[in-house]
Amino acid sequence: MTAPNDPHAGRWRAQPVDGHPRPPGAAQAARHGLSAASLPFTGPPAPEPADGLRAALRQRLSSWLAQQVRAEEDAGIPAPDRKERRIFAQPVLADAAEEFAATALSQGSAIPGQDVERATIDKVLDEFFGMGGLEPLLRNPEIENININACDQVFVRYADGRREQVAPVAGTDADLVDLIRELAARSGVEERHFDRGSPGVSFQLPGGERAFAVMAVTARPALAIRRHRFQQATLAQLRKVGTVDHRLQALLAAMARARKNVLITGGTAIGKTTLLRAMAAEVPPAERLVTIEDTFELGLDADPAAHPDVLALQAREANIEGEGAVELAELVRWALRMSPDRVIVGEVRGPEVIPMCNAMSQGNDGSMGTLHASTSAGAFTKLAAYAAQGPERLTVEATNLLIASAIHFVVHLDRPRGEEHQRVVRSIREVVGADGPQVISNEIFRPDTTGRAQPGVPLRTETLNELRAAGFTPGLLEAG
């Protein structure tokens, strides 16, 4: 009879036969005239050499890091960043790999080949100092979006429009959740939780990529990563890749220099943030910018040569007690007290539209923002719907008057017909006023048969004169 605390209670237990454990099925084999030795061993398999090496490297690196941190604290010297730490760790792991191989050889065990050893060292370095299994994907500049539906269901979309399924990024879903938590903890100005109590988390990766993950509301954890090909974009760069032509480049640059309030619209992952960065590059360096985002993404403060005076604000989620949240609308109000020359809202998607329009219409000309909308004309309906969510409870008529007084231009992005990999400016509207439930606008650039913007209704004379003073050549608006 088995002991009460025997971990093998209720399970088969090997009994010695001639000094050796009897494998499962030995009794049945004996009944058929077979010896136990003729049966394959079915116990736990020996670990693969790469698995053993990875475990040894992780243990050595953990010990080394702990010693380094203690030494730095005792000496009172600042800790190196992750890139420097990774460089210092490489020879430590190389030595550990040699010791592992020597020990394995002395014991007659298999050792991993050089390629496996190098890959294992890189994998451990990625786990400690990089993005784990995401690292190879993030190193590929041609990959634009990464969509992970589970640890082993990973899909990427390339810049040229191709899509394919790639190798898993984690061994298990639990490993994937741990990776997401680690990345979220490193992002922003404070830790962002990811658990059953907070099943969705939005954060920025060190390279500027935008990430959003969910768990508990799906069968398996999921992660979506959106990348920006141009972290420091200019309108000249966008002209080279075909997003704008020479006329649009000149017009958009003049809008920024003439301090026109611009709303950039379009669908998901269409390039709104990139175009916003490019237009911001036309803002004189002497101006003070305050950027407002749900998750840091614009990165204007990361380019001190172009924008030396930038205050970047990020919304804050509530803590586990449900307190301490700071919404975008509140950040816009705070921004107005920070002496901005321009206020830039990364993405308008709620009641912050009212304080944003207030900011644009009371002396902060040249402000910009982005908005999800399917057409340039549909942006006004979307803005009115968001405004209705705010505490101000403005009527539609009052909202439209505010929108018309705040926004000068709507610039809409889309994909041209038959070119899924391309993004282009499709439409530009000049806002001219409001009439009851309608915002009145002129489509000064409208889509041609391919979906690319071409000159449409002429600009108002007053607006044209202001753009001319900012360096725009009116003759560029002529069709042809």
Side-chain angles (χ1 to χ4, degrees), residues 286-299:
E287 294 193 23
R288 173 172 170 78
L289 307 180
V290 178
T291 65
I292 299 160
E293 302 177 85
D294 178 66
T295 302
F296 286 136
E297 186 175 12
L298 280 170

Side-chain angles (χ1 to χ4, degrees), residues 161-190:
R162 290 181 296 118
R163 299 169 186 259
E164 67 180 29
Q165 185 171 359
V166 296
V169 297
T172 65
D173 285 349
D175 290 341
L176 175 60
V177 170
D178 288 341
L179 174 61
I180 294 168
R181 285 173 177 157
E182 170 65 20
L183 297 178
R186 298 184 205 168
S187 73
V189 295
E190 62 178 30

Side-chain angles (χ1 to χ4, degrees), residues 207-292:
E209 301 88 354
R210 184 173 179 176
F212 186 78
V214 293
M215 66 177 296
V217 296
T218 59
R220 303 175 69 182
L223 172 66
I225 299 174
R226 291 169 49 191
R227 308 182 71 183
H228 296 285
R229 297 172 64 192
F230 302 101
Q231 291 295 327
Q232 296 178 345
T234 65
L235 291 171
Q237 288 175 319
L238 297 189
R239 179 180 174 183
K240 287 182 179 180
V241 298
T243 302
V244 299
D245 60 16
H246 69 288
R247 290 180 293 198
L248 293 173
Q249 177 186 351
L251 178 60
L252 295 175
M255 287 181 189
R257 293 194 296 266
R259 301 186 65 85
K260 294 299 180 182
N261 297 327
V262 179
L263 185 66
I264 299 171
T265 64
T268 302
I270 201 66
K272 299 184 295 297
T273 300
T274 299
L275 180 56
L276 182 55
R277 286 196 191 105
M279 291 191 67
E282 300 293 332
V283 175
E287 294 193 23
R288 173 172 170 78
L289 307 180
V290 178
T291 65
I292 299 160

Side-chain angles (χ1 to χ4, degrees), residues 48-58 86 90-105 110-126:
E48 291 292 329
D51 294 337
L53 175 61
R54 178 171 175 264
L57 295 181
R58 287 179 59 85
R86 179 179 181 129
Q90 287 177 348
V92 174
L93 293 190
D95 290 344
E98 288 185 8
E99 294 176 14
F100 176 85
T103 301
L105 284 174
I111 62 172
Q114 287 187 340
D115 291 343
V116 173
E117 179 182 296
R118 182 68 259 171
T120 305
I121 290 176
D122 287 341
K123 184 175 183 179
V124 172
L125 289 171
D126 290 342

